[in-house]
Amino acid sequence: MNRAPAAAKLNLALVVGPRRNDRHEVATVLQRIDLADRVAVEPASRLSVRGFAEDTLVRRALEELAEAGGTKPRWAARIWKQIPVAAGLGGGSSDAATALRLANAQLAEPLELDEIAAGIGADVPFFLHDGPQLGTGDGSVLEPLELPQDFVVLLLLPKDARKPSTADVYAAFDERGGAAGFGERAAALRAALAKVRRPRDLAALPPNDLASSPLADELVAHGAFRADVSGAGPTVYGLFHRKADAERAQRALRGRGRFWITIPAWYG
């Protein structure tokens, strides 16, 4: 059985614009972290996905790959979950991209996967590429970024968090007129990225347009040089120069939710 890690991601910035067709225009900084599910795919007589009953994306990815390749989806996939579900960390998208890579390698004539991935979800193509990326358009148009990777990430999934659906989060954004000034805000993001040399320069990136949390301010108060919500939430992240600093912040906020201490990852 072929298997591989499926890493989580952070949105180090998320600037959101108007809705175009069925997706919003965005400018987002995508960064893998070393918190990962594992996905395995092997040839089989029929399609099956085990290990995570709520999966829809891996199954869809394998169906779409088979259709594009003019064949039947004859794979058995298994998912081992470590990334919290519906938390803004892209676990489902990462699982789907990993399944695509593993199954594609088993085809007699492997396919180019970016277009297939984009049809599954805007975040999925990111997980086919190494390193941090700037996602534009609906998030699936990618530009590689040279960002510092020598920092530590503290993730906090707030206690009793009840995340509305991503569609509802975007609908609330539309209702409050959040898309106003998108062009200027996207340009400001690019200008801030051009000045990033050291980890602490990431503090100048704009805050998440979709979601905010007072816990981000608390993480900064406890030593994070940047803190924000990832994606549509509810996970909050803090960036720290040292693991010891992240551990102190975790102790200070004990009881506020589930924590993970991790680091940036270049691929996987």
Side-chain angles (χ1 to χ4, degrees):
M1 180 176 284
N2 296 318
R3 64 181 68 188
K9 60 83 181 169
L10 295 179
N11 296 89
L12 292 179
L14 178 55
V15 178
V16 182
R19 185 182 179 92
R20 302 192 187 283
N21 299 320
D22 63 339
R23 294 180 182 174
H24 285 71
E25 189 171 357
V26 302
T28 184
V29 178
L30 297 161
Q31 168 70 62
R32 273 185 191 78
I33 52 175
D34 193 27
L35 170 68
D37 296 339
R38 291 194 70 81
V39 176
V41 177
E42 65 180 350
S45 59
R46 62 181 180 85
L47 178 61
S48 66
V49 181
R50 296 180 297 140
F52 179 49
E54 298 172 50
D55 168 72
T56 57
L57 290 184
V58 167
R59 177 175 292 275
R60 182 178 169 194
L62 295 175
E63 289 172 342
E64 295 286 346
L65 177 65
E67 182 175 349
T71 186
K72 298 289 186 183
R74 294 187 175 121
W75 291 288
R78 183 172 179 84
I79 305 168
W80 292 267
K81 291 297 293 182
Q82 293 295 324
I83 303 169
V85 177
L89 299 174
S93 294
S94 186
D95 293 346
T98 302
L100 276 177
R101 289 201 315 266
L102 292 172
N104 193 48
Q106 298 169 26
L107 294 178
E109 297 183 9
L111 306 177
E112 202 289 322
L113 294 177
D114 280 281
E115 185 174 349
I116 298 170
I120 297 163
D123 281 347
V124 180
F126 164 67
F127 293 103
L128 298 174
H129 296 268
D130 294 341
Q133 304 276 331
L134 176 65
T136 56
D138 65 357
S140 64
V141 180
L142 300 171
E143 302 171 43
L145 294 171
E146 291 292 336
L147 296 182
Q149 302 287 283
D150 52 335
F151 55 86
V152 176
V153 181
L154 177 63
L155 301 176
L156 169 54
L157 181 59
K159 187 177 181 181
D160 301 324
R162 293 291 181 269
K163 177 191 172 183
S165 72
T166 299
D168 287 344
V169 173
Y170 274 97
F173 171 83
D174 291 337
E175 288 172 8
R176 64 176 182 266
F182 171 69
E184 292 82 0
R185 290 181 290 112
L189 170 58
R190 285 185 178 273
L193 284 169
K195 297 177 181 178
V196 173
R197 299 291 183 271
R198 296 165 293 184
R200 66 171 176 257
D201 296 334
L202 296 169
L205 300 183
N208 186 325
D209 277 352
L210 278 185
S212 62
S213 171
L215 288 169
D217 294 332
E218 293 192 49
L219 285 168
V220 171
H222 289 290
F225 60 82
R226 177 175 177 81
D228 206 346
V229 176
S230 183
T235 300
V236 182
Y237 66 85
L239 309 184
F240 295 83
H241 291 293
R242 300 184 305 158
K243 183 178 180 182
D245 299 331
E247 290 171 337
R248 278 194 293 272
Q250 179 179 350
R251 289 193 296 271
L253 296 175
R254 183 179 292 118
R256 306 297 292 277
R258 295 173 63 195
F259 290 90
W260 295 261
I261 293 178
T262 185
I263 58 174
W266 193 260
Y267 57 88

